[in-house]
C-alpha cells in the first residue's frame, strides 16, 4: 500500500485560479482512502470548501484505482468541462492522469511518504519503505482512514528489516 | 499499484532451500500479479519446477492482498497445523508482502523473490510501469514511467517469471477429448486443462485460483466409464480418459441450465459478460423458464463495494474468495433451498462488517453482483451522485494488457 | 442477615457469561452444539448471542449466521410462550395437515409472513416428520425452550380449537401467577 | 470379567406379575405416559406386587398404546388402545382369567379363548421379524436384557477374528444398504478398509429425514444396542477408533436411548479401550443434528458433523476414501447396522435364505395413510406390495378405495393400485419409477389428489434442498411453481412438457442424489395418473376435492334447516343469510377452510369439484370463471 499525505488547503488554493480554472476533483478509493487521503470523505471535504469559497468545481468523482488505465476507462469519467484536475491519490495516480489528460492541468496536491503494510483490523499502518525526503518516517505508525500519527510510542507491527 | 521485479534466479532460489524443507508457496493476487511474477498460475508453475527437482511443496497459498498483516494472520490461523509443519515459505509478493510474512511467521525461513521499486501505473500500452521510484533506485519521478524491461536491464535483475529460466516439464499424459488425442498434465484439473487447450467450456463457479465448487453445473462433460455427466471442474485427469465435451445432449442441458439461471436472477443478469457470451453462443433468445422474482435492496453502504443481490447467481465464488483468498470469511450463504442467499456478516450491511477491502470478491464475481464502487458527480447539471458499476473486470482487462 | 444488596445480573452480562461458559472448551466443529445450547436456554438465537458465539469460538459472523439459518432447529425470531409445530410429513399431509396449518393461521389471526400470534402466546412452525405417522395428522406443542413437549394426534378443526383454548388458559394462569409473585415481592 | 467373555446377566424375577408398557415416542404420543401412571396407581391401590417394565414399540401402531400383562400361570396377554381409565378393569379381568377385551396373546393361549394368539394374526404371521424381533419385548434402556436375548454375541465373534472374515461373511450374506440406494455394504466397507492410514471414522445414519418413515426411530428407541453393536463391528472391520451416531434433534427420545445405551455399553466394556480384552479401542459420540433433510446425503452429513452448512460436495472422492475431516469414513443406515449385528450373531446362512436372488434379507416398512393397520412392519425383500398393504396392514378403511402407494419419500414415487403385485426389491421398484428408499409407504385413497401429492413433495424438496447447485435449487423451484399453477387451475398443457424437461435436466445435472431424484414423484404420477393432471389443466377439476382453488363449497337447500350455525362459525364471515332460510356463501370471501362443513349438524354443506360463477352457489357444469 502506498502512503501519501495531502497538502494543506492553503497550499492547494495557491495553485488554483478562481476565474480561469474549471476544476475536477478525482479521489482514489484504494490506498489513498486507507491512508486517510482519498475516498469520498476527503473528496467531499475539499470539494465543499472549494465550492463554498467560490471556486469553479465542475466534476467530482471517486475511482477505484487512480493508477490504472483500464479502470480509468471503465469508470467512464466525463470531465471534459474541466481544465484543471486535482487528484487525491499518490503520485502514481497523478502520473496516470497527467499522461491521460495531456491538455489539462493536473495538480499534484499530495506527497508520497512511503510504502506501508497495514492491519485494517487494528486500524494501523506502518511505513516500511520511505520515499525520498521522508527517510525519518521509517517504522512510524499511523491510524488508517485518517492518516494521523499514532500517539503511543509502542510499536504495534513488528518490522523485520 | 506497486511495481516489483523478480530479483532471484531459480538457481539462487534453490540454493536457499534444502532438500528436506517443507515448502509453502505464498503469492499475492494484486499488484505483483499484474507485474507478471505472481498469481495462482505462477505458483503452479513454480510448484511443478520444484517438485521436478525433488523438493517438497506442501501448500500453495494465494492471498488477495499481501500487504495486509491481518489477512496474513488469518491465513495462518486457518491452517495452524500446516504452517507448523512448514519450514520454508517462498513469497511471490512485493517486498511489503515479504515483510508481512516475516512478521506473521517469525520462526519460518522466508524467501523473497522480488525487488520493489516504488509505485507505478498500469498502462494500456506498456503494461505495468514505474512512475514514482523509491530513493534507493536513484531514479526520478516520471509520469511516462520506466517499463519493467528497462528496470531489469538497468538493475541487472531477472526478466519475467521463473519459467523463462527453465520451462517446467510436468509429466504429460494423453487423453482423448471429443475423439482427438490431447496432451495434458497428469493429475491436473480437467477443466483447467481443457481451457488451457483453448476449448470453450462454459463455467460460472470455477476459477483455478479458487478451486472447484461444483455449483453451477455448466461445465458438465461425459467421461467414458462414469455414470451420467460429471462436472469437469471437479474431475481429476486420469490416464486414458475419454471425454466428450460437446454433443447434443450436453448442449441441451447447458442451454437449459443457463435459462434456469437467467430465470432465477431476472433479465438484468444477461448483461453480465459470461452469461451474455453463452446466451449468444447457444443462440438463446427466449427463456422457456419463468420464475417469480422479488427485487431485493442493493447494498451500497460500503465505501468501496456495492452488492446487488439481484444479480447474484449463488455460484459461491465470492464466498470462496473471501474465505480462501482473504481469509476474512465476511461473505457466506444463508438459508437453505430456494431461499438461499449470500449475506455479509450477521446479515449486516457491508459497511458494518470486518471487510478488509481486498476486493477479491469483486474480482472473482462472474456477474458483477459485487462490484467496486465508482461515483461521479456533475456539479453543474446533475444534483445527485450517480453510481457507476464496472461492466468488466479489472483482472481480465489487465491480464489482456 | 445480609446488608449488601446483590443486584440481579443484567441480561447482557448473563448472556455473555453463559456463552463464555459453554464455549470454554469448544472448537470450531462444535458450533452446532453451542448454538443448540444457547437456543435451549433462551428459546431462540438473537443477534447478540450469535455475535458472542462467533467471537468466543473464533468463527466469522457470516459462518455462524450461515449455519444458524441452514438448520430447522434454529430460530432467529423470538417464539411465543408456546410453539405449535405442525407436522408437514407425507402421512400428515395425506390426512390433511396442510388444512390444519392454514386454519391455525386463521384462528391465530396471523398475516402471511407472520409466525407469532398477536398476544404472543403462540408461534406457529411447519415442522418435519416427527415419526408419529400413524397418529396423522399430528401437531406438537412445546414451550419456547422445548422442555415441555406434547404430541397431539388425529387433530381436526375442533381439536385445534380445543388445544388453543387449553394453552390460552395455561398461559393466562402462568401470567397471573407471575404477577402474583411480583406482588408478593412488592409487599415484602 | 472381561477375560471370560460376556458379563453375567442378572435376571430379576422376584416378582411374578409383569406389565410391559411401550415407551417409544409413538406410544407416548398416543398416551402411554398416562397409562403408565394409571397402572402405577392401580397396582398400588390393589396392593399387587407387579414389576412394570418400559419396553420399546413393536410397530403395531394402530393399537397404541398397548400393554402386555404376564403373570406366572397366566398367558402373556396384549391389550390394545388402552386408556388410563380402563387399566383397572383390564387388570381385574386378567386376574379373573377373563381375556375378552384382550387384543392377542403373546404366548400361552388358553384353549377356550376366542382371542387370537399374536402369531396367528395376519399382521404378525406375514412378517419376518429379523431385526425388529426384540422391539417391544426387551427394555431398551437395559443392556442386560439385550445381552440376555443374545446381544453382543456377534461382536464377540467379530473381535476374535480378522476383519477380512467379517467382510467375507457380509459378502456371503450379500447385505445391501438399507438407506435407499442398495449399495452392497461389504464393498463399501472393503474400500474403506483398504485405505491407508489409521484414522478412520464410522457414522451411523439415524437422520431419517423421509417424511412418512420412522423405522430408524423405532429401532433406536426400542433396540438401541443392536445399532451400537453393528456400529462397533463396522468400526472394528475397517479399523476405525471413533464412531458417530447422527440423530435428528426432532427425535429426542431416540437420541436419549442411544446415549444411554452407549453409556451402559461403555460400563460393560463393549465400548472404550480394549473392548472385551481384544485390544481394540473404539468409542462413539451421539451427534444431535439440528435438522435438515439434505443431511441424509453422505457428504452433507459429514459437513454437518464438522459444524458447517450441510452442503453436499461432488463425489468422487467418496467418503469411504475421503470423508470426515478428510479421513476415510463409512456411513451406514442404522437399519443396515442392525442387520450387520443380527447377521453376525445368527450367521449369514439364515439371512441369505430370506429375500430374493439379488437382494437378500428383510426390510422394514412404515405403512401409514389410508390403511386399517398403520405401523412399521418387517417383511422379506421381494414381498409383493399387495401382501404388505392388504394382508398385513389390512387394506383400506371401510368405504375407501386404495388408489396408490407412495414409496420412498420425496425421492420415491407413486405406484398405482393395479401394480400392487410388484415385488418390493430394489430393482423392481426402480423399474416402476419408485425407490425402496428408507421404506416409508404412504397409502393414498380416493380422497388424495395425485397432483397435490406431487406438489407437496416438491414443496418439500424446494425447501429442503441445500441450495448449493444451481440445477437443484432452481429446478425444484421451477417444478414446484409449475405444479402450484396446475393445482390452482392455472396450468396449461405446455406445463406438462416443462415439467418433463426440467426433471430431465435435474436427473442428469444435479450435484447430489436429492436433486437427481427430486422429480421422481412427478414422473411417476405423470406416468400413472396423467388423467388427473389433465383434469386439473383442461377441466379445472380436482376429483379428490383437495386442491382448494378447484373446489367449491355449496349448501344443499334441501338438507339445510337454516340454523345459521355455519355462518356463526365461519372465521371470515363469508356466509350470510337469515334464520330459517338457506344462507349463501360469498365465494370472494371464502378461503375454503372447511369450518362450515365440520360445523353443519345436518350435513348440508358439501364440497364440489370445479369452479363456479361468482353469483352462483350451486355448481353448474361447464360454468367456469
Amino acid at each position: 500500500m502506498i502512503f501519501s499525505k495531502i497538502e494543506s488547503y492553503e497550499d492547494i488554493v495557491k495553485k488554483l485560479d478562481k476565474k480561469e480554472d474549471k476544476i475536477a476533483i478525482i479521489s482514489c478509493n484504494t490506498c489513498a482512502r486507507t491512508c486517510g487521503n482519498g475516498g469520498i470523505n476527503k473528496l467531499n471535504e475539499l470539494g465543499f470548501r472549494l465550492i463554498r469559497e467560490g471556486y469553479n468545481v465542475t466534476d467530482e468523482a471517486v475511482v477505484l484505482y487512480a493508477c490504472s488505465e483500464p479502470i480509468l476507462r471503465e469508470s467512464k469519467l466525463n470531465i471534459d468541462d474541466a481544465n484543471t484536475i486535482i487528484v487525491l491519490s499518490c503520485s502514481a495516480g497523478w502520473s496516470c492522469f497527467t499522461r491521460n489528460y495531456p491538455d489539462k492541468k493536473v495538480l499534484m496536491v499530495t506527497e508520497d511518504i512511503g510504502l506501508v503494510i497495514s492491519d485494517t483490523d487494528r486500524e494501523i499502518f506502518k511505513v516500511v519503505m520511505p520515499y525520498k525526503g521522508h527517510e525519518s518516517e521509517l517504522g512510524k505508525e499511523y491510524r488508517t482512514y485518517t492518516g494521523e500519527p499514532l500517539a503511543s510510542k509502542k510499536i504495534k507491527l513488528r518490522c523485520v528489516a | 499499484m506497486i511495481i516489483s521485479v523478480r530479483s532471484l534466479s531459480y538457481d539462487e532460489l534453490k540454493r536457499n532451500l534444502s532438500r528436506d524443507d517443507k515448502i509453502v508457496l505464498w503469492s499475492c493476487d494484486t499488484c505483483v500479479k499484474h507485474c507478471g511474477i505472481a498469481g495462482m498460475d505462477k505458483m503452479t508453475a513454480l510448484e511443478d519446477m520444484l517438485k521436478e527437482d525433488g523438493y517438497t511443496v506442501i501448500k500453495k497459498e494465494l492471498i488477495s492482498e499481501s500487504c495486509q498483516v491481518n489477512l496474513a494472520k488469518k491465513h495462518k490461523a486457518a491452517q495452524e497445523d500446516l504452517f507448523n509443519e512448514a519450514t520454508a515459505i517462498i513469497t511471490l509478493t512485493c517486498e511489503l508482502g515479504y515483510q508481512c510474512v516475516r512478521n506473521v511467521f517469525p520462526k519460518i525461513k522466508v524467501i523473497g523473490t522480488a525487488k520493489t521499486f516504488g509505485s507505478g501505473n498500469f498502462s494500456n500500452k506498456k503494461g505495468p510501469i514505474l512512475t514514482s521510484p523509491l530513493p534507493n533506485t536513484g531514479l526520478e519521478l516520471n509520469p511516462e514511467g520506466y517499463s519493467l524491461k528497462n528496470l531489469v536491464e538497468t538493475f541487472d535483475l531477472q526478466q519475467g517469471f521463473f519459467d523463462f529460466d527453465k520451462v517446467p516439464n510436468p509429466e504429460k499424459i494423453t487423453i482423448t477429448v471429443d475423439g482427438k488425442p490431447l496432451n495434458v498434465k497428469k493429475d491436473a484439473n480437467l477443466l483447467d486443462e481443457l481451457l488451457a487447450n483453448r476449448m470453450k467450456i462454459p463455467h460460472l463457479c470455477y476459477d483455478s485460483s479458487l478451486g472447484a465448487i461444483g455449483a453451477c453445473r455448466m461445465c458438465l462433460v461425459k467421461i467414458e466409464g462414469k455414470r451420467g455427466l460429471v462436472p469437469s471442474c471437479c474431475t481429476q485427469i486420469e490416464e486414458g480418459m475419454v471425454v466428450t465435451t460437446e454433443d447434443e445432449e450436453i448442449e441441451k442441458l447447458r442451454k437449459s441450465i443457463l435459462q434456469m439461471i437467467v430465470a432465477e436472477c431476472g433479465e438484468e443478469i444477461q448483461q453480465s459478460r459470461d452469461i451474455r457470451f453463452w446466451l449468444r453462443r447457444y443462440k438463446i433468445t427466449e427463456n422457456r423458464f419463468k420464475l417469480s422474482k422479488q427485487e431485493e435492496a442493493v447494498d451500497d453502504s460500503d465505501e468501496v463495494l456495492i452488492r446487488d443481490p439481484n444479480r447474484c447467481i449463488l455460484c459461491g465464488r465470492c464466498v470462496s474468495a473471501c474465505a480462501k483468498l482473504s481469509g476474512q470469511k465476511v461473505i457466506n450463504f444463508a438459508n437453505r433451498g430456494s431461499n438461499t442467499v449470500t449475506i455479509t456478516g450477521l446479515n449486516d450491511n457491508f459497511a458494518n462488517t470486518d471487510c478488509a477491502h481486498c476486493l477479491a470478491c469483486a474480482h472473482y464475481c462472474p456477474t458483477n453482483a459485487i462490484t467496486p464502487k465508482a461515483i461521479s458527480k456533475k456539479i453543474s447539471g446533475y444534483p445527485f451522485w450517480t453510481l457507476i458499476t464496472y461492466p468488466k473486470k479489472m483482472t481480465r482487462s489487465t491480464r489482456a494488457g | 442477615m445480609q446488608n449488601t444488596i446483590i443486584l440481579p445480573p443484567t441480561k447482557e452480562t448473563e448472556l455473555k457469561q453463559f456463552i463464555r461458559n459453554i464455549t470454554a472448551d469448544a472448537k470450531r466443529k462444535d458450533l452446532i452444539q453451542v448454538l443448540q445450547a444457547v437456543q435451549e436456554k433462551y428459546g431462540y438465537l438473537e443477534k447478540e448471542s450469535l455475535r458472542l458465539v462467533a467471537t468466543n469460538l473464533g468463527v466469522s459472523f457470516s459462518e455462524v449466521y450461515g449455519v444458524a439459518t441452514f438448520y430447522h432447529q434454529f430460530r432467529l425470531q423470538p417464539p411465543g410462550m408456546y410453539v405449535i409445530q405442525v407436522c408437514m410429513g407425507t402421512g400428515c399431509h395425506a390426512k390433511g395437515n396442510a388444512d390444519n396449518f392454514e386454519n391455525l393461521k386463521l384462528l391465530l389471526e396471523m398475516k402471511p409472513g407472520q409466525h407469532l400470534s398477536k398476544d404472543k402466546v403462540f408461534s406457529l412452525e411447519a415442522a418435519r416428520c416427527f415419526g408419529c405417522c400413524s397418529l396423522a395428522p399430528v401437531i406438537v406443542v412445546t414451550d419456547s425452550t422445548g422442555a415441555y413437549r406434547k404430541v397431539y394426534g388425529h387433530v381436526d378443526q375442533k381439536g385445534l380449537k380445543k388445544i388453543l383454548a387449553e394453552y390460552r388458559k395455561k398461559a393466562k394462569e402462568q401470567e397471573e401467577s407471575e404477577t402474583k409473585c411480583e406482588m408478593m415481592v412488592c409487599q415484602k | 470379567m472381561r477375560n471370560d467373555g460376556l458379563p453375567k446377566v442378572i435376571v430379576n424375577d422376584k416378582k411374578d406379575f409383569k406389565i410391559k408398557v411401550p415407551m417409544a415416542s409413538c406410544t407416548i404420543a398416543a398416551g402411554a405416559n398416562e397409562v403408565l401412571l394409571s397402572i402405577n396407581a392401580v397396582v398400588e391401590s390393589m396392593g399387587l406386587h407387579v414389576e412394570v417394565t418400559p419396553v420399546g414399540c413393536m410397530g403395531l401402531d394402530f393399537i397404541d398404546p398397548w400393554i402386555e400383562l404376564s403373570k406366572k400361570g397366566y398367558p402373556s396377554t396384549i391389550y390394545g388402545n388402552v386408556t388410563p381409565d380402563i387399566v383397572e378393569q383390564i387388570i381385574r379381568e386378567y386376574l379373573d382369567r377373563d381375556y375378552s377385551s384382550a387384543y392377542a396373546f403373546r404366548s400361552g393361549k388358553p384353549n377356550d379363548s376366542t382371542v387370537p394368539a399374536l402369531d396367528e394374526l395376519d399382521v404378525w404371521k406375514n412378517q419376518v421379524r429379523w431385526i425388529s424381533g426384540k422391539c417391544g419385548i426387551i427394555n431398551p434402556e437395559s443392556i442386560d436384557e439385550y445381552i440376555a436375548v443374545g446381544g453382543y454375541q456377534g461382536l464377540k465373534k467379530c473381535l476374535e477374528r480378522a476383519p477380512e472374515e467379517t467382510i467375507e461373511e457380509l459378502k456371503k450374506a450379500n447385505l445391501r444398504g438399507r438407506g435407499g440406494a442398495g449399495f452392497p455394504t461389504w464393498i463399501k466397507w472393503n474400500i474403506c478398509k483398504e485405505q491407508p492410514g489409521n484414522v478412520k471414522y464410522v457414522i451411523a445414519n439415524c437422520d431419517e429425514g423421509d417424511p412418512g418413515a420412522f423405522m430408524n426411530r423405532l429401532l433406536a428407541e426400542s433396540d438401541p444396542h443392536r445399532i451400537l453393536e453393528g456400529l462397533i463391528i463396522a468400526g472394528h472391520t475397517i479399523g476405525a477408533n471413533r464412531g458417530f451416531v447422527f440423530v435428528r434433534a426432532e427425535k429426542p427420545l431416540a437420541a436419549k436411548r442411544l446415549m444411554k445405551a452407549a453409556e451402559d455399553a461403555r460400563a460393560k466394556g463393549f465400548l472404550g479401550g480394549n473392548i472385551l480384552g481384544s485390544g481394540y479401542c473404539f468409542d462413539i459420540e451421539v451427534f444431535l443434528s439440528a435438522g435438515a433433510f439434505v443431511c441424509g446425503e453422505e457428504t452433507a452429513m459429514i459437513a454437518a458433523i464438522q459444524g458447517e452448512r450441510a452442503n453436499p460436495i461432488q463425489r468422487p472422492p467418496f467418503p469411504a476414501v475421503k470423508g470426515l475431516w478428510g479421513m476415510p469414513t463409512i456411513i451406514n443406515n442404522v437399519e443396515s447396522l442392525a442387520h450387520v449385528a443380527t447377521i453376525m450373531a445368527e450367521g449369514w446362512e439364515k439371512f441369505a435364505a430370506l429375500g430374493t436372488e439379488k437382494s437378500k434379507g428383510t426390510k422394514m416398512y412404515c405403512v401409514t395413510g389410508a390403511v386399517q393397520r398403520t405401523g412399521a412392519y418387517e417383511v422379506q425383500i421381494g414381498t409383493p406390495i399387495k401382501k404388505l398393504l392388504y394382508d398385513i396392514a389390512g387394506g383400506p378403511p371401510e368405504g375407501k378405495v386404495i388408489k396408490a402407494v407412495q414409496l420412498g419419500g420425496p425421492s420415491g414415487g407413486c405406484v398405482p393400485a393395479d401394480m400392487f403385485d410388484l415385488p418390493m426389491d430394489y430393482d423392481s421398484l426402480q423399474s416402476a419409477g419408485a425407490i425402496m428408499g428408507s421404506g416409508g409407504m404412504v397409502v393414498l385413497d380416493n380422497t388424495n389428489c395425485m397432483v397435490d401429492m406431487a406438489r407437496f413433495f416438491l414443496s418439500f424438496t424446494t425447501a429442503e434442498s441445500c441450495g448449493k447447485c444451481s440445477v437443484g435449487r432452481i429446478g425444484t423451484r421451477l417444478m414446484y411453481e409449475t405444479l402450484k399453477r396446475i393445482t390452482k387451475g392455472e396450468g396449461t398443457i405446455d406445463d406438462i412438457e416443462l415439467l418433463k424437461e426440467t426433471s430431465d435436466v435435474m436427473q442428469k445435472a444435479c450435484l447430489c442424489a436429492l436433486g437427481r431424484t427430486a422429480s421422481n414423484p412427478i414422473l411417476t404420477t405423470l406416468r400413472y395418473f396423467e388423467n388427473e393432471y389433465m383434469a386439473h389443466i383442461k377441466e379445472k377439476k380436482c376429483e379428490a376435492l383437495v386442491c382448494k382453488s378447484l373446489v367449491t363449497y355449496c349448501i344443499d337447500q334441501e338438507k339445510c334447516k337454516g340454523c345459521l350455525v355455519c355462518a356463526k362459525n365461519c372465521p371470515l364471515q363469508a356466509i350470510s343469510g337469515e334464520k330459517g332460510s338457506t344462507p349463501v356463501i360469498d365465494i370472494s370471501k371464502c378461503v375454503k377452510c372447511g369450518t362450515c362443513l365440520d360445523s353443519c349438524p345436518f350435513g348440508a354443506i358439501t364440497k364440489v369439484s370445479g369452479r363456479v360463477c361468482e353469483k352462483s352457489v350451486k355448481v353448474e357444469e361447464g360454468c367456469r370463471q
Side-chain angles (χ1 to χ4, degrees), chain D residues 201-252:
Chain D
Y201 299 102
V202 288
I203 303 172
N205 175 1
C206 191
D207 185 47
E208 198 166 64
D210 271 13
F214 52 89
M215 61 286 286
N216 291 358
R217 192 217 76 211
L218 191 142
L219 276 174
E221 285 177 356
S222 310
D223 200 358
H225 284 286
R226 194 171 299 271
I227 297 169
L228 289 196
E229 188 181 346
L231 190 63
I232 304 166
I233 292 172
H236 177 251
T237 310
I238 65 154
N241 299 106
R242 228 173 130 204
F244 292 87
V245 187
F246 191 91
V247 195
R248 262 172 61 194
E250 280 114 318
K251 298 182 171 171

Side-chain angles (χ1 to χ4, degrees), chain C residues 28-29 31-33 36 66-67 69-74 88-91 93-95 99 102-103 106 128-135 149-151 153 157-158 161, chain D residues 29 61 211-212 214 217 248-250 287-294 304 306-310 325 368-369 374 442 448 452-453 455-457 464 548 591 593 595 598:
Chain C
R28 166 71 182 85
K29 68 175 175 63
L31 176 60
I32 292 177
Q33 284 93 325
Q36 280 171 336
V67 168
T69 51
F70 190 90
Y71 296 98
H72 279 273
Q73 201 190 359
F74 300 126
M88 287 294 171
T90 323
H93 178 83
K95 296 246 173 147
D99 287 351
E102 290 302 313
N103 291 340
L106 272 178
R128 295 190 315 155
C129 186
F130 295 105
C132 307
C133 308
S134 37
L135 297 173
R149 187 166 187 272
K150 191 160 178 184
V151 182
Q157 276 278 349
K158 282 175 199 156
K161 281 187 185 166
Chain D
D61 287 0
F214 52 89
R217 192 217 76 211
R248 262 172 61 194
E250 280 114 318
F287 182 91
L288 263 184
S289 157
F293 175 67
V294 71
Q306 293 173 355
E308 292 156 17
R309 289 167 62 81
W325 290 298
T368 59
T374 56
V442 180
N448 294 113
D452 179 66
M453 278 319 280
R455 185 200 59 82
F456 163 75
F457 279 115
E464 290 298 330
K548 282 187 176 177
V591 293
C593 66
T595 311
D598 284 350

Side-chain angles (χ1 to χ4, degrees), chain B residues 346 348 352, chain C residues 19 46-56 59 61 64:
Chain B
L346 285 173
D348 300 314
N352 298 331
Chain C
I19 289 176
E46 57 182 327
K47 218 168 182 178
E48 189 52 36
S49 26
L50 291 180
R51 204 182 300 276
L52 286 167
V53 167
T55 347
N56 281 314
V59 186
F61 290 160
V64 174

Side-chain angles (χ1 to χ4, degrees), chain D residues 504-527:
Chain D
D504 183 57
V505 177
M506 289 196 65
Q507 282 178 336
K508 285 173 182 161
C510 267
L511 196 156
C512 73
L514 185 150
R516 282 197 295 272
T517 55
S519 54
N520 280 355
I522 299 182
L523 292 178
T524 50
T525 46
L526 262 179
R527 184 157 141 197

